[in-house]
Amino acid sequence: MKCDIVLAGVGGQGILTIAAILGKVAVAEKLHVKQSEIHGMSQRGGSVFAHLRLSSQPIFADQITLGTADMVVAMEPMEALRHRACLAPQGILITDQTPLVNIPDYPQESQIREELRAMPKTLLLDTTSLAKASGNPRNTNVVLLGAIANFLGLDAAILEKAIQQHFAPKGDTVVQAALQAFRLGKEAKSA
């Protein structure tokens, strides 16, 4: 097993939560893990991204080189486009369709969607609606985690256990909503 994932978003969207959960699951599954993250101006709505490398063989570098990522996963469509050069030709881009307009010259939403749909393998999700349906509108990152799970070959029950452990300090209501968001993400189809 080998999977190189670039996770991208804007500060506060939960990119590092996805990386933490996947990292814990990989360690529990006796996989090798390397992770690096760039926070940038995350506290001011700036770009955040993480490179997450999972493998059954030793990993010698924590950075993913351009054109080699198996997945680019973005919490926001502009961040998906920003990191698409990381994607391998056979890789998949998974992104939320809802823009987070945090700059004055943010491109037209229709233009972004057109560029995303022109890519060979893109899963464009309405994570906002799915997160609301889960019972917690903040669960957009967990919806994306569910979508990622479809391409990892890891047991969904192990991922659900990691989600339970991660959110347990926040109470059972939060845990149940996170589990529902994960399941909705696993079932989601491109918007």
Side-chain angles (χ1 to χ4, degrees), residues 91-110:
I92 184 163
L93 187 141
I94 303 170
T95 184
D96 183 9
Q97 71 175 5
T98 307
L100 178 66
V101 181
N102 59 350
I103 55 174
D105 56 347
Y106 196 96
Q108 291 288 327
E109 191 174 337
S110 59

Side-chain angles (χ1 to χ4, degrees), residues 140-163:
T140 55
N141 61 334
V142 185
V143 170
L144 280 177
L145 180 58
I148 295 167
N150 291 324
F151 301 97
L152 288 179
L154 296 172
D155 185 356
I158 295 168
L159 284 159
E160 287 191 9
K161 183 178 178 185
I163 291 167

Side-chain angles (χ1 to χ4, degrees), residues 4-66:
D4 290 339
I5 307 169
V6 174
L7 300 159
V10 173
Q13 287 187 303
I15 285 298
L16 301 181
T17 298
I18 295 172
I21 291 170
L22 287 175
K24 286 177 188 176
V25 168
V27 169
E29 290 293 295
K30 309 273 190 270
L31 294 172
H32 297 270
V33 179
K34 292 280 186 186
Q35 178 187 338
S36 68
E37 50 198 54
I38 302 294
H39 297 271
M41 293 292 290
S42 61
Q43 291 182 347
R44 300 198 194 287
S47 183
V48 174
F49 66 93
H51 288 197
L52 182 63
R53 305 188 73 202
L54 313 172
S55 179
S56 52
Q57 302 298 315
I59 303 167
F60 299 104
D62 57 359
Q63 294 288 305
I64 299 169
T65 57
L66 291 177

Side-chain angles (χ1 to χ4, degrees), residues 127 131 134-144 167 174 177-179 181:
T127 64
S134 79
N136 185 343
R138 296 187 63 198
N139 279 339
T140 55
N141 61 334
V142 185
V143 170
L144 280 177
F167 290 103
V174 172
L179 289 171

